[in-house]
Amino acid sequence: MGYNVIDLIDKAIKIEQQRKNIIMNAMRKDSNYPNIRLISKILVDQGDKRINYYEKIKEETKNKDLEDIDFMTYDKISFLINEFNKKIYITEAKNPKEYILFSLELARDKYSLFIDIQGRLFNNTKNKNTKTYEVLSKIIEVVSKQIDTLEKTIQYIH
């Protein structure tokens, strides 16, 4: 049995869980920045919603006939995801705008990662009508909404 889109969904879930854990650990520390703590709580809640959505996609996809991802492509994708995971950390922001800008940059990087993954898989199959392509499109849409929300939030912070 080879790799398939379920493995990619699991990696997307791990990315969200890692980010959530980092934010929660930062919140546990004593902080003189209550606004950043509040934003952190909101970011954790949003991360939970994305994780739940990815779990739902995983359940819906589990019993479908899924195409395998060839080992070389999956290996390259795993490398990209591991490199991305090394970039996930918490910033030492002193104000809410700086903190949200940091979160926005991370979300944009995540968006680029999944676009890259989808492109690599498309180049491998030359087919947009696969379950893998469809699922990655859903993940990309969720990340795009995250970016939109963060961009709108920044507009309201002084």
Side-chain angles (χ1 to χ4, degrees), residues 96-108:
K97 187 170 188 171
E98 189 178 318
Y99 190 57
I100 292 175
L101 282 170
F102 165 77
S103 296
L104 174 61
E105 225 24 68
L106 196 59
R108 287 177 177 158

Side-chain angles (χ1 to χ4, degrees), residues 75-132:
D75 188 51
K76 290 176 187 173
I77 290 169
S78 289
F79 175 79
L80 290 173
I81 292 171
N82 289 338
E83 288 300 306
F84 175 80
N85 283 334
K86 290 178 186 175
K87 291 175 23 177
I88 298 179
Y89 62 92
I90 197 73
T91 184
E92 293 292 325
K94 304 281 189 258
N95 63 65
K97 187 170 188 171
E98 189 178 318
Y99 190 57
I100 292 175
L101 282 170
F102 165 77
S103 296
L104 174 61
E105 225 24 68
L106 196 59
R108 287 177 177 158
D109 288 346
K110 182 171 47 173
Y111 178 83
S112 297
L113 172 69
F114 283 108
I115 290 287
D116 188 356
I117 290 169
Q118 188 180 48
R120 287 172 190 268
L121 291 170
F122 175 77
N123 286 339
N124 210 25
T125 63
K126 304 293 186 216
N127 187 355
K128 287 185 179 180
N129 298 320
T130 65
K131 193 65 181 166
T132 302

Side-chain angles (χ1 to χ4, degrees), residues 6 9 54-64:
I6 299 292
I9 295 169
Y54 296 158
E55 292 285 355
K56 181 181 167 197
I57 293 172
K58 184 177 170 180
E59 277 303 310
E60 291 170 356
T61 306
K62 206 185 287 188
N63 297 323
K64 308 263 180 177

Side-chain angles (χ1 to χ4, degrees), residues 97 149-158:
K97 187 170 188 171
T149 300
L150 290 168
E151 287 174 341
K152 288 175 185 173
T153 303
I154 288 171
Q155 293 175 356
Y156 295 105
I157 296 177
H158 304 318

